[in-house]
Amino acid sequence: MNNDTNQQKNIAGAQSMAQAAGKTGSQNAGSPSTSAETVGADVSAIMKKYDRESNTRIWTGRRKQAIRLLTAAFSLWCIYVTLFATFLEEIRLTSFLALIILLGFLTYPAKKGEQKPDYMPWYDILFMILGTGAFLYFTFNAQNIIQQGTRFAPYKIVIGIVGLLALIEITRRCVGLPILFVALFFLIYALSYGLTNPDFFGRVRYLVRNLFYTKEGIFSTPVNVCSKYIVVFIIFGAFLERTGISAFFIDLANCVAGRFAGGPAKVSVISSALCGMVSGSSVGNTVTTGSVTIPMMKKTGYRPEFAGAVEAAASTGGQIMPPIMGAAAFLMADFVGVPYSAIIVRAILPALLYFTGIFIAVHLEAKRLGLSGIPKDQLPVFRVLVRKIYLLLPLIMLVVWVSGNYMTMQKAASYAIVLSIVVSLFDRQNRISLQKFIDALEAGGRGTITVAAACGVAGIISGCITMTGLANELINGIIAIAGDKLIVALVLTMLCCIVLGMGVPTTANYCIMAATTAPILIRMGVPALAAHFFVFYFGIVADITPPVALAAYAGSAIARSNPMKTAFNASRLAIAVFIVPYVFCFSPALLLIDTNALQVAQIAATSLIGIFGVSAALEGYVFCNMNALTRIVMAAGGILLIDPKPLTDLIGIILIAGGLLYQKAAAGKSRR
């Protein structure tokens, strides 16, 4: 068994989907004829290069089993605490991060590269003990610390500094440097300019006290939500993966779209959307589903840059696909103060528009290249596939339990875990045995390390922003530039989100955006929910936007294409994500806010037409190749449909309709 459980999960998913594709005639359909071992090796190498989580220590024998059981026990402890614990919130949060620090040092080495088996340097052991001890000190003295007020002895400030440094170091190891650069900027600003105390050491004491000993720093909303909700859903995702649902999703996608023009690309869009609900990682989703779909697309006739871009764009969209949304849905519910069920309902229409935009682009590309679909005899048989429809039961029941307010989110996720185990009993190959049960708990525990560390650092960032009032300065600056023009504020906010979101995981990404950029739009009169969706979308799109487009680079590694060209292609394919957020800021009805069915239908229809116009313009093809003027007309029509006013809608539809009629006539002439 591989020592890296997260990496093992992705390899296992790639292998199972390769086997699923193999059933459909892998040689002719373009599914790699490579052995499962080769697929696993490729996934392993790519994950190690683009995903920090995959660079782990190598443990063997009894040490490996001990750490494995410790991580599994951590998952069980998290489920127990979130369901049954009644002790102080400070005790829950500090003990949670203490275990994260402990497991983080046991799992992640100080640097990338080949690791010596069963070896942990003395400085890592020392740092692990000190860091874990700092948080446990708070755990066992929580009552006294809460009651003592603002005066802290110097040794307590030293303990706080050690705890903060340990959290930052774990984040560097398993998340990466981009988020730390952001945190470092805010820390330097707080110490240099943001705090009014003239004494530097006084500023340090104030900063450490607020960041480590209060709920304004690392123990603020992100870590609170992570320890209470997100961790249980991560564990649920690990169990769901082991039921074989990924292979089911790709077979289902083949049944739905495989036979149509450019079928493998459409399969990639659908399967990545479905798998993204479970994976919660743009890079992980790209590598897992892409190890099968990208070779299929290349074999069909798509260019390598296009094939890698399709998978990256679709996999990134998995983060905005309800009901999980990369765990950001739970944070958004807490930040905005609305039920989780309201978040996932409002996310459905924008997510569908996003994937429809990608679907339109791959269809037009297939038509332009004259590509065919997968032969019927190489596709899964639906009446056979439908027998495994029971695999969807845990997801369906999770949504029903939560949206119907039958139980709390964490209780619903716990019941869904039990249901995943039950449905696995109907499939001999994917039955969750005791070994798989422990594997799933271990995978859930390890997956939590990265999310919790990133949430902790996001708490440092939001704490610095709150203490220094920097958010108000940023808000006032953008509002001063924008004046009363909402579109200017939206563009500036979009640029901030893309820059701040580069290389940052989904949950931490959203936490940063919610603290820094969402208030800008709220001040401009955008409803709070629409503002939070806007910044969330543009934070996520950083995964495919150059220069730090990790999902696109992972897709290019599988496609063996130029990374930057793949990233630009992915951004072009995901054009819907650059349009839809503007639509729901100008008209929140797209998010089902203060609206009726007729308004929703109208805005959905005009948004879809607009996305089609812009996608067609970027693709340069509908019925035949477009000239430059037609592309400009189609793009202009699509952009006008962003603002859902009757006049702009009418002009936009006329322009797109005119472009299509001209295309149709030009195609007819070329066939004569």
Side-chain angles (χ1 to χ4, degrees):
M1 180 178 155
N2 196 307
N3 63 299
D4 181 4
T5 310
N6 288 326
Q7 177 184 316
Q8 178 193 39
K9 181 174 74 173
N10 288 295
I11 294 172
Q15 289 175 344
S16 65
M17 286 195 284
Q19 291 164 2
K23 295 174 188 174
T24 68
S26 60
Q27 297 286 5
N28 294 329
S31 179
S33 55
T34 322
S35 66
E37 290 78 11
T38 304
V39 172
D42 289 344
V43 171
S44 174
I46 294 167
M47 289 296 290
K48 279 182 177 292
K49 184 174 182 180
Y50 294 106
D51 187 25
R52 301 279 305 195
E53 290 181 80
S54 298
N55 291 280
T56 59
R57 298 189 194 277
I58 299 172
W59 298 108
T60 62
R62 291 182 180 178
R63 293 183 182 88
K64 173 182 175 181
Q65 292 304 319
I67 293 171
R68 178 170 173 259
L69 292 174
L70 178 63
T71 310
F74 167 69
S75 291
L76 289 174
W77 179 84
C78 287
I79 294 172
Y80 168 77
V81 168
T82 194
L83 290 177
F84 306 113
T86 57
F87 42 72
L88 278 173
E89 191 170 73
E90 284 81 359
I91 293 176
R92 173 173 62 84
L93 297 175
T94 54
S95 57
F96 174 72
L97 280 184
L99 291 171
I100 290 294
I101 298 297
L102 176 66
L103 292 173
F105 276 102
L106 289 173
T107 304
Y108 298 105
K111 60 181 181 179
K112 289 184 178 183
E114 293 297 322
Q115 302 299 323
K116 184 178 177 182
D118 297 326
Y119 174 73
M120 188 173 177
W122 66 267
Y123 50 83
D124 270 6
I125 296 173
L126 179 63
F127 207 171
M128 176 182 71
I129 293 171
L130 291 175
T132 305
F135 285 94
L136 289 179
Y137 171 80
F138 194 165
T139 302
F140 291 109
N141 296 276
Q143 193 69 54
N144 293 332
I145 289 171
I146 293 168
Q147 293 175 348
Q148 77 173 67
T150 59
R151 298 185 66 181
F152 279 76
Y155 77 90
K156 291 183 179 179
I157 299 300
V158 172
I159 289 172
I161 291 172
V162 170
L164 290 168
L165 289 176
L167 177 65
I168 288 170
E169 174 59 14
I170 286 301
T171 306
R172 183 192 69 81
R173 295 184 183 199
C174 64
V175 179
L177 291 174
I179 188 174
L180 294 186
F181 288 147
V182 177
L184 185 63
F185 166 80
F186 286 108
L187 283 169
I188 292 173
Y189 176 82
L191 289 172
S192 302
Y193 308 104
L195 300 177
T196 56
N197 192 324
D199 176 27
F200 176 78
F201 291 105
R203 294 198 296 271
V204 170
R205 285 194 298 271
Y206 179 79
L207 190 65
V208 172
R209 181 182 69 81
N210 279 273
L211 292 181
F212 191 80
Y213 290 108
T214 73
K215 292 182 182 178
E216 295 179 10
I218 59 177
F219 302 114
S220 57
T221 295
V223 165
N224 191 8
V225 173
C226 179
S227 66
K228 197 171 183 179
Y229 305 126
I230 295 175
V231 60
V232 190
F233 280 85
I234 291 174
I235 297 168
F236 165 61
F239 274 92
L240 200 61
E241 285 279 354
R242 280 153 183 78
T243 64
I245 198 168
S246 294
F248 172 77
F249 279 152
I250 199 168
D251 276 344
L252 181 63
N254 269 296
C255 279
V256 172
R259 67 184 183 276
F260 297 109
K266 293 169 182 174
V267 169
S268 172
V269 175
I270 296 171
S271 61
S272 295
L274 295 173
C275 291
M277 293 190 299
V278 180
S279 74
S281 166
S282 300
V283 175
N285 196 12
T286 300
V287 173
T288 306
T289 55
S291 61
V292 173
T293 59
I294 290 174
M296 290 170 67
M297 285 187 270
K298 288 175 65 179
K299 185 75 173 179
T300 302
Y302 286 106
R303 292 172 288 112
E305 288 80 10
F306 190 86
V310 169
E311 183 57 53
S315 293
T316 300
Q319 305 303 287
I320 64 173
M321 190 70 178
I324 306 298
M325 293 172 62
F330 315 118
L331 285 163
M332 194 179 295
D334 204 88
F335 272 117
V336 183
V338 299
Y340 166 76
S341 55
I343 298 293
I344 60 175
V345 168
R346 284 161 171 74
I348 291 172
L349 194 52
L352 290 177
L353 288 172
Y354 174 83
F355 285 104
T356 302
I358 301 176
F359 206 85
I360 289 169
V362 299
H363 176 75
L364 295 177
E365 178 76 1
K367 286 295 186 183
R368 188 175 68 83
L369 298 175
L371 305 181
S372 59
I374 300 172
K376 188 177 179 181
D377 61 345
Q378 296 173 5
L379 293 171
V381 180
F382 183 74
R383 65 175 178 272
V384 175
L385 181 63
V386 78
R387 295 173 191 167
K388 289 194 174 184
I389 197 72
Y390 60 83
L391 291 174
L392 297 176
L393 190 60
L395 269 176
I396 293 170
M397 291 309 300
L398 173 67
V399 174
V400 170
W401 287 330
V402 174
S403 59
N405 292 319
Y406 294 107
M407 58 186 75
T408 61
M409 286 190 286
Q410 57 267 48
K411 194 171 183 179
S414 301
Y415 278 24
I417 290 171
V418 175
L419 193 54
S420 299
I421 298 171
V422 172
V423 300
S424 76
L425 299 177
F426 295 94
D427 187 344
R428 228 177 248 181
Q429 183 181 355
N430 293 301
R431 188 170 295 166
I432 296 180
S433 59
L434 178 60
Q435 179 83 356
K436 282 189 176 182
F437 179 80
I438 296 173
D439 287 347
L441 288 174
E442 183 191 12
R446 288 201 176 180
T448 302
I449 296 171
T450 303
V451 177
C455 284
V457 172
I460 292 175
I461 295 169
S462 62
C464 290
I465 290 170
T466 302
M467 281 182 280
T468 60
L470 183 60
N472 278 333
E473 293 185 26
L474 180 64
I475 293 168
N476 292 335
I478 289 182
I479 290 176
I481 296 171
D484 60 349
K485 302 294 184 184
L486 178 59
I487 186 67
V488 177
L490 290 173
V491 171
L492 293 174
T493 304
M494 175 191 74
L495 295 175
C496 288
C497 291
I498 292 174
V499 172
L500 291 173
M502 289 180 175
V504 180
T506 301
T507 46
N509 188 329
Y510 170 65
C511 291
I512 296 169
M513 303 310 152
T516 56
T517 56
I520 298 169
L521 302 184
I522 295 171
R523 184 84 68 86
M524 292 291 293
V526 176
L529 195 57
H532 279 262
F533 265 100
F534 183 93
V535 300
F536 173 58
Y537 271 45
F538 282 114
I540 293 302
V541 84
D543 281 344
I544 53 173
T545 306
V548 187
L550 294 182
Y553 295 161
S556 74
I558 299 173
R560 292 178 171 82
S561 62
N562 181 287
M564 196 56 67
K565 287 183 180 179
T566 304
F568 278 112
N569 270 286
S571 299
R572 176 171 64 87
L573 287 167
I575 189 63
V577 84
F578 293 93
I579 295 175
V580 171
Y582 285 90
V583 174
F584 58 60
C585 280
F586 281 111
S587 181
L590 189 62
L591 292 174
L592 311 182
I593 298 173
D594 299 329
T595 187
N596 55 52
L598 184 61
Q599 284 180 304
V600 172
Q602 176 196 341
I603 291 167
T606 55
S607 299
L608 188 58
I609 295 169
I611 289 167
F612 171 80
V614 176
S615 296
L618 291 173
E619 191 61 37
Y621 184 95
V622 178
F623 302 112
C624 62
N625 289 323
M626 289 185 190
N627 58 36
L629 181 60
T630 308
R631 294 177 77 162
I632 292 170
V633 168
M634 294 285 283
I639 292 169
L640 282 170
L641 286 163
I642 290 176
D643 188 357
K645 290 187 175 70
L647 180 60
T648 55
D649 281 354
L650 180 62
I651 297 172
I653 290 171
I654 289 172
L655 289 176
I656 291 173
L660 287 175
L661 289 173
Y662 181 81
Q663 268 270 289
K664 189 73 173 174
K669 287 181 182 179
S670 65
R671 284 195 292 267
R672 289 174 189 169

